[in-house]
Amino acid sequence: MKMRIRELLEAGEAEHNCTVSGWVRSLRASKEVAFIVLNDGSNLSGIQVVAGRELDDFQAICRISTGTAVRVEGQLHRSPGTGQQWELMADAVRVIGSADDSYPLQKKRHSFEYLRSIAHLRPRTNTFGAVFRLRSKLALAIHRFFGERNFLYVHTPIITASDCEGAGELFRVTTLDAAAPPLMNGQPDFRQDFFGQRTGLTVSGQLEGEMFALAFSDIYTFGPTFRAENSNTARHASEFWMIEPEMAFADLADDADLAEEFIRYLCRVALEECTEEMVFFDKHVEQGLQERIRSVAEAGFARIDYTEAIDLLRRSNAQFSYPVEWGLDLQTEHERYLSEQIVGGPVFILNYPRDIKAFYMRQNEDGRTVAAMDLLVPKVGEIIGGSQREDRLDLLERRMAEMGIAREPLEWYLDSRRWGSCPHAGFGLGFERLVMYLSGMDNIRDVIPFPRTPRHAEF
RNA sequence: UCCCCAUUAGCUCAGUCGGUAGAGCAGGUGACUGUUAAUCACCUUGUCCGUGGUUCGAGUCCGCGAUGGGGAGCCA
């Protein structure tokens, strides 16, 4: 019977006849016996296959090279060796697909930069195997988290006409001939385009998500998001996945509560359901990772008002390259100082000056701040950005006018404040930043299967 | 987009004062009764990123370009 290696090891029945298929990671041969480390992606360590010289094709087995796909029939035995509990005593080893000596993955450590250039092969390595098993497990856990709390999962559109969401440059979606578009007063005439207007790939599902929250109370989206910004950093990608919950009859404090519960839940998932991977990351990627994640899972998050954060930064006597002053946005150096030095863990910054935030955020009573929040974590920086939304029609309209946002394409959005409006709040969490935070990987390109960044859309 | 750094064997890197290139790993062959990125012996491998310049002579110095990395901005 064919089994995945992980299932076989979990069953752990000695003398059990079985068949496994996978790829050879390493082969150690001596005169009498050969050891094959076989991995099928179902776990990190794979299984040790033992082939004795009594096998007919023992000499051929000893020449099997790294990367070869093989099928092994045999019996599970307790291993007399020290590195593993079980091993598979082979009755037959069959080569399914060979790999010659030009196979780029060697039995040694490669740099992440090199592995990025062979992104189609890197999932066969220990590190990337662990990253993508963790990523998959977290994605499923996110749906479980919201499902258990009766949040509705909504698929917001990928193609959108609203380019005024303020979240960033969008990729144009068009069927017009780029070399010779139909013109109107010298400009491309998008009325003749496929959708009869300018469209692009979504930069956020929030506005549509709000419409669903005002019908289903609690909803979330989880899907691809696109930003055409020329960002060249270890934490930005042109295509990434975002989770955006939205709750009706909720304020900023409820929003932060949800975000905190959510992050801590996912920390526990990583520790409890990806134990082997977390041990590996702790050993090879970031020393002390498990302890860091455990402390986040167990302790409450700090909450600091923006005004208070400015005060703390000014009183810290730390030297910054950018000024710290009420009304200015916090720079990366400030955010890092707050989460790494002052708090030493995740911290919410709440109630930012309204002039540095988006039009849809709820204006506070003080007349100068909005009910916005950012969750900052050590190492990654901003992992969540959210807010309570402006639910009062007149205030929202006034704010849009002040900021020069055309209301015509957003009449549908204003409708939600026109009839049955209510306080509501939500946030956006960058999925890849979460994976980085939980794995210790420090480049977003190494937690995305085939990353898209400026100048890169290979594979 | 801006600032800094890098690019040498399949991979990771060394290369002094400018004198035509080396190590480890991988790979190959052999040895080895149970190995853990096995070990031991021997062997193979180069458009020194590209391009122009300085020089008797450039991997090395200078200009330009490409690519990669780190940091910043924008943000999730």
Side-chain angles (χ1 to χ4, degrees), chain A residues 25-242:
Chain A
R25 286 290 180 80
S26 156
L27 184 143
R28 298 177 290 271
S30 62
K31 198 173 185 180
E32 300 293 324
V33 66
F35 298 94
I36 301 170
V37 176
L38 192 69
N39 189 290
D40 67 355
S42 61
N43 74 348
L44 183 72
S45 50
I47 192 168
Q48 171 159 281
V49 173
V50 185
R53 79 176 306 169
E54 69 280 1
L55 295 177
D56 295 340
D57 47 357
F58 180 70
Q59 292 306 320
I61 290 170
C62 289
R63 283 195 298 274
I64 289 174
S65 56
T66 302
T68 301
V70 300
R71 186 170 69 217
V72 180
E73 289 168 39
Q75 292 173 19
L76 199 64
H77 279 255
R78 288 200 178 273
S79 175
T82 52
Q84 58 286 314
Q85 196 181 356
W86 299 96
E87 62 189 19
L88 188 60
M89 298 297 295
D91 295 323
V93 177
R94 170 125 170 244
V95 171
I96 305 295
S98 62
D100 67 16
D101 61 10
S102 62
Y103 182 58
L105 293 173
Q106 303 171 357
K107 286 194 293 187
K108 58 167 274 193
R109 192 180 179 86
H110 289 289
S111 66
F112 289 154
E113 289 85 353
Y114 172 65
L115 291 170
R116 259 170 237 155
S117 74
I118 51 169
H120 54 308
L121 297 173
R122 66 181 184 169
R124 298 188 195 181
T125 64
N126 286 337
T127 302
F128 288 91
V131 164
F132 294 120
R133 273 189 302 277
L134 174 67
R135 186 179 166 120
S136 171
K137 189 69 83 174
L138 289 171
L140 294 172
I142 284 162
H143 287 298
R144 196 170 71 214
F145 175 88
F146 288 117
E148 284 170 357
R149 286 160 183 76
N150 286 310
F151 278 59
L152 182 104
Y153 174 33
V154 55
H155 301 106
T156 49
I158 309 272
I159 297 174
T160 174
S162 48
D163 60 352
C164 49
E165 293 168 11
E169 289 294 308
L170 74 171
F171 285 100
R172 186 66 46 77
V173 171
T174 181
T175 53
L176 295 181
D177 181 353
L183 297 177
M184 178 76 166
N185 300 328
Q187 295 292 314
D189 183 9
F190 290 100
R191 289 177 311 175
Q192 294 184 47
D193 201 352
F194 189 89
F195 293 106
Q197 58 189 310
R198 289 165 76 112
T199 50
L201 296 178
T202 183
V203 294
S204 166
Q206 181 199 315
L207 301 190
E208 290 92 346
E210 283 184 49
M211 302 305 103
F212 265 55
L214 294 186
F216 297 92
S217 298
D218 297 327
I219 66 98
Y220 72 105
T221 71
F222 184 5
T225 308
F226 307 88
R227 302 274 167 93
E229 246 122 37
N230 190 14
S231 296
N232 292 285
T233 80
R235 34 179 212 293
H236 289 87
S238 310
E239 176 182 321
F240 62 99
W241 283 58
M242 190 153 63

Side-chain angles (χ1 to χ4, degrees), chain A residues 18 32 34 39 41 51 56 65 90 102 159 174 216 241 268 285 296 316 322 326 342 361 365 372 376 382 404 437 440:
Chain A
C18 53
E32 300 293 324
N39 189 290
D56 295 340
S65 56
S102 62
I159 297 174
T174 181
F216 297 92
W241 283 58
R268 288 195 298 275
V285 177
V296 171
S316 70
Y322 288 85
W326 201 98
I342 295 182
M361 296 185 178
E365 301 305 314
L376 311 178
E382 185 181 338
Y437 184 64

Side-chain angles (χ1 to χ4, degrees), chain A residues 205-322:
Chain A
Q206 181 199 315
L207 301 190
E208 290 92 346
E210 283 184 49
M211 302 305 103
F212 265 55
L214 294 186
F216 297 92
S217 298
D218 297 327
I219 66 98
Y220 72 105
T221 71
F222 184 5
T225 308
F226 307 88
R227 302 274 167 93
E229 246 122 37
N230 190 14
S231 296
N232 292 285
T233 80
R235 34 179 212 293
H236 289 87
S238 310
E239 176 182 321
F240 62 99
W241 283 58
M242 190 153 63
I243 299 114
E244 295 181 286
E246 191 76 30
M247 296 178 291
F249 311 107
D251 61 15
L252 188 65
D254 298 321
D255 203 25
D257 287 346
L258 180 72
E260 178 172 340
E261 192 185 354
F262 183 54
I263 295 291
R264 291 169 63 187
Y265 178 88
L266 295 169
C267 287
R268 288 195 298 275
V269 166
L271 292 169
E272 290 164 14
E273 300 179 33
C274 298
T275 309
E276 192 184 20
E277 284 76 18
M278 295 302 279
V279 168
F280 177 87
F281 292 138
D282 201 323
K283 195 170 171 188
H284 297 287
V285 177
E286 182 194 331
Q287 249 99 72
L289 173 75
Q290 292 180 101
E291 191 45 49
R292 195 193 84 204
I293 301 303
R294 198 170 293 122
S295 72
V296 171
E298 285 163 8
F301 294 3
R303 299 185 189 197
I304 302 176
D305 256 42
Y306 166 87
T307 303
E308 187 188 349
I310 293 293
D311 215 43
L312 286 168
L313 289 169
R314 289 179 76 98
R315 283 200 317 238
S316 70
N317 289 324
Q319 292 297 311
F320 298 113
S321 332
Y322 288 85

Side-chain angles (χ1 to χ4, degrees), chain A residues 3-16:
Chain A
M3 285 181 91
R4 301 294 299 278
I5 289 169
R6 182 197 183 105
E7 297 162 4
L8 183 64
L9 294 173
E10 279 171 358
E13 281 178 60
E15 310 290 325
H16 185 66

Side-chain angles (χ1 to χ4, degrees), chain A residues 411-436:
Chain A
E411 282 300 339
W412 59 273
Y413 184 70
L414 293 172
D415 275 353
S416 65
R417 275 65 168 172
R418 211 162 262 138
W419 302 298
S421 186
C422 73
H424 60 287
F427 62 82
L429 173 122
F431 183 49
E432 283 78 10
R433 289 188 181 176
L434 175 80
V435 179
M436 290 168 72

